[in-house]
Amino acid sequence: MGLDLMNALLAVYQGELKRNEPMARHTSFRVGGPCDLFVKPKSLDDLRIAVSFLTSQSIPLTFVGDGTNLLVRDGGIEGAVICLAGLTEPLTESRQGEAIILEVPAGVKTQHLCRMAAEKGYAGLTFATGIPGTLGGALTMNASTEKTGWETVVQKITVVKRSGKKETLKAEAFDFHYRRLSIGGKDRLHLGFPGIAAATLVLTPGNPAQLEADRQEKLSRRKASQPVSLPSAGCFFKNPETGPSAGQLIDELGMKGRQIGGAQISERHANYIVNTGSATAQEILDLAHQVRENVFKKKGTRLEEEVTLVGRQA
Ligand SMILES: Cc1cc2nc3c(=O)[nH]c(=O)nc-3n(C[C@H](O)[C@H](O)[C@H](O)COP(=O)(O)OP(=O)(O)OC[C@H]3O[C@@H](n4cnc5c(N)ncnc54)[C@H](O)[C@@H]3O)c2cc1C
């Protein structure tokens, strides 16, 4: 992208703007080549201005949060990455009878939201305890630690379409599935999927001490079973609809510890691929390919990625 285009955007927009920004800096895997333009709006207005400007220039857009579910290929991302992690205010709350209504911007950390809710005695978010990343990413992925997810608490979603137009959607306009949100039948893998700017959540009154004790207990269990010290994107594969979990299948094949370059199947949790320090996205993809082939050949199960793969080949 040319400097003149950047200057034109800078004239109307307040947020962060970087050229050729390595995506390894913005993903929990710590891999990924540069994006042409990295755009981090400070506010909803900023987001709308940037999105409509970039769309008017026919620049492809990729919306991201904290990059904790992203595997960016080594060739980087064409066009602009719009990072919504900067949209953190205002977080407002109100009451409708007993119900607690939270209006939460997409950049708020899911863990912050869960901690705040437990401390205030707002029940309903236990399923999201310990999940890294932003609310926008959590909604897009329907990220959860349980069978149910965000469908249990989300009342409305505010999106910014690729035209830059803001729209608030009621529940009939979106559907949550296993690790997937679809809006008007499109999910994150479709070109027209909008940027999620905020959501309205409905929580119920609970006991703060009990909610906080449950949260701490859940966090300790996660810490004990997950490889948190090495970069990863959490579980690499979705669990099959029936039968053993992806982790169990991989473990039963004795694949824990297998390594290609700097990419390794975690010794601690077989469904985690970790970056031992110097991995490339290609090494992670090659290792994932071996896992998929092996599990299909020996167990007859086709594993699908949970991690979102984006970007171009190096
Ligand atoms: C150590 C570790 C543990 C994890 N544990 C869990 C777990 O228990 N359960 C679970 O489900 N997941 C887990 N994850 C995966 C990940 O944290 C979640 O999917 C998380 O909700 C992603 O949020 P994010 O902001 O990082 O999204 P990103 O990784 O930035 O993006 C994820 C997807 O959503 C899209 N996206 C992000 N924000 C927006 C937005 N505002 N508007 C439109 N599209 C958007 C991106 O394009 C991408 O397709 C784990 C990851 C790690 C590293």
Side-chain angles (χ1 to χ4, degrees), residues 283-296:
E283 288 166 353
I284 293 171
L285 286 169
D286 290 346
L287 188 57
H289 179 72
Q290 276 195 9
V291 171
R292 227 182 295 107
E293 294 276 287
N294 224 358
V295 168
F296 184 59

Side-chain angles (χ1 to χ4, degrees), residues 18-41:
K18 289 178 179 162
R19 265 174 94 191
N20 297 326
E21 173 71 359
M23 285 304 293
R25 291 188 189 149
H26 302 281
T27 61
S28 56
F29 248 139
R30 300 278 171 257
V31 302
C35 59
D36 296 336
L37 195 65
F38 184 82
V39 181
K40 191 170 175 185

Side-chain angles (χ1 to χ4, degrees), residues 5 23 26 54 81 98 107 113 196 225 261 275-276 290 295:
L5 254 178
M23 285 304 293
H26 302 281
L54 293 163
V81 165
E98 282 277 278
L113 184 64
I196 293 176
S225 64
N275 175 0
T276 58
Q290 276 195 9
V295 168

Side-chain angles (χ1 to χ4, degrees), residues 52-66:
S52 73
F53 176 85
L54 293 163
T55 299
S56 74
Q57 302 298 317
S58 307
I59 292 169
L61 307 181
T62 304
F63 295 108
V64 305
D66 273 346

